[in-house]
Amino acid sequence: DADVTQTPRNRITKTGKRIMLECSQTKGHDRMYWYRQDPGLGLRLIYYSFDVKDINKGEISDGYSVSRQAQAKFSLSLESAIPNQTALYFCATSDSGWTEAFFGQGTRLTVV
Amino acid sequence: AQSVTQLGSHVSVSEGALVLLRCNYSSSVPPYLFWYVQYPNQGLQLLLKYTTGATLVKGINGFEAEFKKSETSFHLTKPSAHMSDAAEYFCAVSDVSTPPLVFGKGTRLSVIA
């Protein structure tokens, strides 16, 4: 099993719908992150969490919200999806020593 | 604030030729530097990292990178390209005080037979 698991892997949704992307990890890490990847723009940070009670906005948090349900679970929500939120979304984890980040396989989201 | 610049959004090399992917960073404190690779339809995999110590770091699949503080660079090299190296490569920077990784925009490497 993968260390960082994202569900769903692919999703098509309509404009205005609420959608949740889920991430779970078995690394035992405290720190979790959500990134968005767009062609030519690299990965941009949406939100991050250093522990269950800590949530921080990243570079592009507008239109998104997150929930850290447990040490191992970090979900990303789009309250009212819009087409320019069509992208590849990655969840990542790291330990407090910050030796590296471990990434999930990604969720490809299309908003029509 | 930290930032990363990757020179060249697309690099094409012949099989067996040298691979050189360029990365320059900006950081106000000693940086942690990373190279990640993304194969089609996959997540990101760590190639190599520099945190402290030796400035020439070796990674997986024959890649290496050298941290040059005076040039604020962390270029990725491989002596001989293989077809399986075709992928997108991301340089990233962090530091101990602000851990979330900041990524460059990526460089797509094509390998021509």
Side-chain angles (χ1 to χ4, degrees):
Chain A
D1 289 341
D3 294 324
V4 184
T5 302
Q6 293 183 233
T7 56
R9 291 292 312 277
N10 291 281
R11 180 73 181 266
I12 299 174
T13 191
K14 293 184 177 181
T15 298
K17 293 291 188 182
R18 183 180 189 275
I19 182 169
M20 179 182 290
L21 310 183
E22 299 187 353
C23 176
S24 63
Q25 52 111 346
T26 58
K27 302 290 290 183
H29 290 162
D30 288 327
R31 299 177 174 185
M32 298 188 72
Y33 312 84
W34 276 104
Y35 286 90
R36 166 178 172 163
Q37 183 181 12
D38 297 278
L41 296 181
L43 279 79
R44 293 178 292 166
L45 184 66
I46 306 173
Y47 272 96
Y48 62 101
S49 169
F50 284 173
D51 64 42
V52 174
K53 297 181 180 180
D54 176 79
I55 301 289
N56 303 280
K57 292 183 177 181
E59 178 187 355
I60 53 164
S61 59
D62 287 349
Y64 302 94
S65 62
V66 292
S67 174
R68 185 81 184 266
Q69 301 95 324
Q71 185 204 36
K73 296 184 182 295
F74 192 36
S75 60
L76 175 72
S77 293
L78 287 67
E79 297 300 327
S80 178
I82 56 177
N84 76 1
Q85 291 178 312
T86 292
L88 185 56
Y89 291 84
F90 285 103
C91 175
T93 74
S94 70
D95 62 22
S96 58
W98 192 239
T99 51
E100 70 178 274
F102 295 84
F103 284 81
Q105 293 291 85
T107 294
R108 187 168 297 280
L109 176 67
T110 303
V111 183
V112 297
Chain B
Q2 300 154 320
S3 65
V4 173
T5 301
Q6 291 184 240
L7 296 177
S9 59
H10 183 208
V11 171
S12 185
V13 300
S14 298
E15 192 174 19
L18 172 71
V19 175
L20 171 60
L21 304 183
R22 299 178 186 273
C23 172
N24 288 89
Y25 70 90
S26 171
S27 177
S28 59
V29 297
Y32 294 170
L33 294 160
F34 305 81
W35 276 100
Y36 281 84
V37 60
Q38 183 182 31
Y39 298 104
N41 300 314
Q42 295 190 23
L44 278 75
Q45 178 184 5
L46 182 70
L47 268 181
L48 49 79
K49 63 185 179 186
Y50 168 79
T51 52
T52 59
T55 57
L56 180 63
V57 293
K58 297 185 183 299
I60 61 173
N61 302 336
F63 285 93
E64 62 181 37
E66 186 171 11
F67 169 57
K68 292 187 176 181
K69 184 178 178 181
S70 61
E71 298 177 8
T72 61
S73 68
F74 191 58
H75 302 331
L76 181 70
T77 61
K78 182 175 180 177
S80 177
H82 191 272
M83 297 297 289
S84 61
D85 294 327
E88 188 147 23
Y89 293 79
F90 293 95
C91 182
V93 65
S94 178
D95 66 63
V96 67
S97 62
T98 55
L101 283 171
V102 175
F103 284 86
K105 294 183 178 182
T107 297
R108 184 163 58 91
L109 175 67
S110 297
V111 182
I112 303 167

